[in-house]
Amino acid sequence: MKLSIIGTGYVGLVTGACFAEKGHHVICVDNDSAKVKVLRGGGIPIYEPGLEELVSSNVAAGRLRFSESTAEGVASSDVVFIAVPTPPQPDGSVDLSFIERVARDIASAMTSYKIVVDKSTVPVKTGENVTETIRRYCRAKVDFDVVSNPEFLREGFAVEDLMKPDRIVIGVGSQRPVAAMREIYAPFDAPIIVTDINSAELIKHAANSFLALKISYINAISAICEASGANVQEVANGIGMDTRIGRRFLDAGLGFGGSCFPKDLSAFIKIAEQLGYDFRLLKEVQRINAEQMDRFVKKIADTLWVLRDKKIGVLGLAFKQNTDDVRVSPAIELCQRLLKEGATLRVHDPKAMEKAKAVLPPSDKVAYVDDMNAVAEGCDALVVATEWPQFKKLDLDGARRALTHPILFDGRNLFDVKEMESLGFIYKSVGR
Ligand code: UGA
């Protein structure tokens, strides 16, 4: 099918590349001309495993191209996907102005029937506003359908998640766009559920909030484990084997971050409030998440006593493994908290160092270290802040010798408690 995707962020670019890989003809549009130039030149503005190869092979096959013009995208496609940012606002609601702008641009470019699909994460009832906006601004007065098709990919696993989705959700206001939507997703071999638009929009917020709730739940359990001497990983394994609960997203740590969970929780709480429901359960999820970081910082301070002028090595800056994304990264927050207390840092991340430099304050108190095994050099303690699997291969003997004191705070429970103790570390992890 002929598809256009407006917005080449994580969701837009990966979606476009995967649709092309499945044989559709895709034009990806972005109004950032510098970004389009990079993409046309074969560059990828984000790090996402497998994406670069997917983009280049599909560009070479003539199924994927890039443009700055929404009008060109609309003219050359039957189905137009909106995948633009919906950034948070100070009051917790989301800024829908990019969606509105794109809806107007699409409307004014439409000269024949189009299906306009919202892929951006939006609060329930946004589809109604998009429909009304297109109706108002469509000069040609042609028919159209608005569809809600939320995306469930995780950064760092985006290509994998998109190519092998658990389910496809299609929210429609009429039956007319259903066949085309099914055709787009037929090659993905995933169950498709067709709902009304409001339900589809709610599914996205409800799914992300539930996953965040699961993380806060296990983080709350981790506090009880620490107080009682139990082990949170054993508890997670034990409850996770109940298929009604499931083991995934039960890893205790520094709390969840990223551009999705924190924002979506706030947005869901806000839209619920506007609809007359006080979502106190989710407010508690937020509170536990903030508290988890406080508890970890306290653990470091309790052990090292005064942090001023202490040198601390930090492994990980990205908000999670497999990504260079540092937006709302717990690792970055931890660095900021340590810096505020007067510590100096030696930091390393396999992919996120450049992006971290842009968000951490420029300071002679932060040294960016290319080799993870060199981070501990001369430090008073080492901290694991991101769950990169390669950190498990850290030269622990070398780290212990390089540290002035063999203290390791593991915010992601990457190492085995007994092994660390037998290696001579003072080892503090989360909930164990
Ligand atoms: C999340 C959802 O998982 C996706 O399904 C969704 O499509 C996406 O948001 C979105 O709305 O676009 P993402 O933010 O990329 O994906 O990353 P996750 O893998 O969900 O991790 C989020 C945070 O939770 C990270 O900081 C991670 O370290 C933390 N986490 C995750 C835990 O602390 N414990 C866990 O067990 C799992």
Side-chain angles (χ1 to χ4, degrees):
M1 291 189 72
K2 289 194 217 144
L3 313 174
S4 60
I5 320 268
I6 318 295
T8 60
Y10 274 96
V11 170
L13 187 56
V14 182
T15 305
C18 290
F19 281 164
E21 179 68 11
K22 292 293 187 185
H24 299 303
H25 286 266
V26 182
I27 171 164
C28 282
V29 177
D30 205 296
N31 63 3
D32 180 345
S33 49
K35 205 169 177 188
V36 172
K37 206 169 155 201
V38 168
L39 289 163
R40 279 191 178 141
I44 301 287
I46 49 173
Y47 171 72
E48 190 59 48
L51 183 60
E52 196 166 345
E53 299 79 353
L54 206 62
V55 169
S56 63
S57 63
N58 282 286
V59 168
R63 287 189 301 265
L64 180 62
R65 63 197 170 96
F66 301 99
S67 169
E68 287 164 43
S69 160
T70 301
E72 187 190 350
V74 172
S76 43
S77 60
D78 306 312
V79 184
V80 187
F81 287 81
I82 303 176
V84 294
T86 50
Q89 308 200 93
D91 71 348
S93 64
V94 285
D95 176 0
L96 293 169
S97 60
F98 296 108
I99 299 262
E100 196 259 1
R101 175 80 248 171
V102 168
R104 279 198 277 152
D105 290 347
I106 295 169
S108 52
M110 278 175 10
T111 53
S112 59
Y113 172 76
K114 301 286 172 193
I115 299 173
V116 180
V117 185
D118 176 46
K119 234 185 199 312
S120 303
T121 301
V122 293
V124 61
K125 296 179 99 57
T126 300
E128 292 174 5
N129 289 322
V130 170
T131 305
E132 190 50 39
T133 301
I134 297 178
R135 192 170 289 134
R136 270 186 212 153
Y137 288 87
C138 178
R139 283 190 290 261
K141 299 291 169 215
V142 290
D143 280 353
F144 68 92
D145 273 295
V146 168
V147 172
S148 167
N149 173 218
E151 183 47 62
F152 301 104
L153 61 82
R154 290 162 302 158
E155 286 180 25
F157 302 89
V159 173
E160 190 184 318
D161 285 352
L162 228 146
M163 294 301 251
K164 291 191 206 110
D166 289 343
R167 78 304 205 183
I168 304 292
V169 175
I170 296 172
V172 292
S174 81
Q175 283 307 301
R176 190 170 173 189
V178 173
M181 293 304 295
R182 284 191 184 278
E183 194 178 333
I184 293 170
Y185 282 107
F188 289 86
D189 194 28
I192 294 178
I193 67 164
V194 179
T195 68
D196 61 89
I197 295 177
N198 285 340
S199 301
E201 289 169 339
L202 259 180
I203 285 169
K204 171 70 192 198
H205 266 165
N208 270 7
S209 301
F210 190 82
L211 292 168
L213 180 149
K214 240 182 135 175
I215 298 168
S216 276
Y217 183 77
I218 202 68
N219 282 336
I221 300 276
S222 79
I224 303 169
C225 287
E226 283 172 20
S228 63
N231 180 322
V232 74
Q233 277 176 322
E234 284 170 11
V235 177
N237 292 342
I239 60 176
M241 282 173 82
D242 183 329
T243 51
R244 293 170 301 174
I245 297 173
R247 176 63 179 82
R248 295 177 74 191
F249 279 68
L250 283 180
D251 289 323
L254 292 181
F256 55 79
S259 64
C260 300
F261 285 172
K263 179 192 85 169
D264 290 354
L265 270 179
S266 302
F268 201 18
I269 291 168
K270 195 75 196 167
I271 186 75
E273 181 189 308
Q274 284 161 9
L275 293 167
Y277 182 73
D278 181 6
F279 217 145
R280 279 175 298 192
L281 177 66
L282 295 187
K283 290 178 184 167
E284 190 59 19
V285 169
Q286 290 179 316
R287 198 191 61 74
I288 294 169
N289 200 51
E291 200 179 82
Q292 192 71 358
M293 176 63 74
D294 293 342
R295 292 198 312 111
F296 194 73
V297 173
K298 185 172 182 301
K299 202 175 286 179
I300 297 175
D302 284 350
T303 310
L304 299 182
W305 189 24
V306 173
L307 291 178
R308 178 157 301 281
D309 296 331
K310 290 272 161 60
K311 198 188 277 184
I312 300 177
V314 179
L315 290 168
L317 298 164
F319 84 98
K320 57 180 269 191
Q321 61 177 310
N322 280 351
T323 181
D324 63 352
D325 197 345
V326 295
R327 288 175 292 171
V328 198
S329 169
I332 295 284
E333 190 190 333
L334 180 66
C335 289
Q336 282 163 338
R337 301 267 289 254
L338 296 173
L339 286 169
K340 201 163 157 237
E341 293 296 323
T344 59
L345 306 179
R346 288 173 63 76
V347 301
H348 168 80
D349 190 282
K351 292 287 173 197
M353 302 248 266
E354 284 313 309
K355 290 194 174 162
K357 281 178 193 163
V359 295
L360 281 174
S363 159
D364 54 1
K365 289 186 176 293
V366 187
Y368 293 86
V369 183
D370 287 330
D371 175 5
M372 70 171 179
N373 285 313
V375 171
E377 198 54 54
C379 287
D380 296 286
L382 199 56
V383 180
V384 176
T386 306
E387 65 272 39
W388 281 98
Q390 47 267 59
F391 292 161
K392 288 185 185 165
K393 300 205 175 80
L394 188 75
D395 171 9
L396 289 167
D397 260 330
R400 194 197 52 227
R401 283 196 304 271
L403 288 164
T404 58
H405 304 284
I407 305 174
L408 198 150
F409 300 97
D410 186 353
R412 297 293 180 177
N413 289 350
L414 290 191
F415 299 109
D416 185 76
V417 180
K418 286 208 171 69
E419 193 189 329
M420 293 303 283
E421 281 166 4
S422 71
L423 282 169
F425 279 96
I426 297 168
Y427 177 67
K428 309 221 167 177
S429 52
V430 179
R432 304 187 301 172

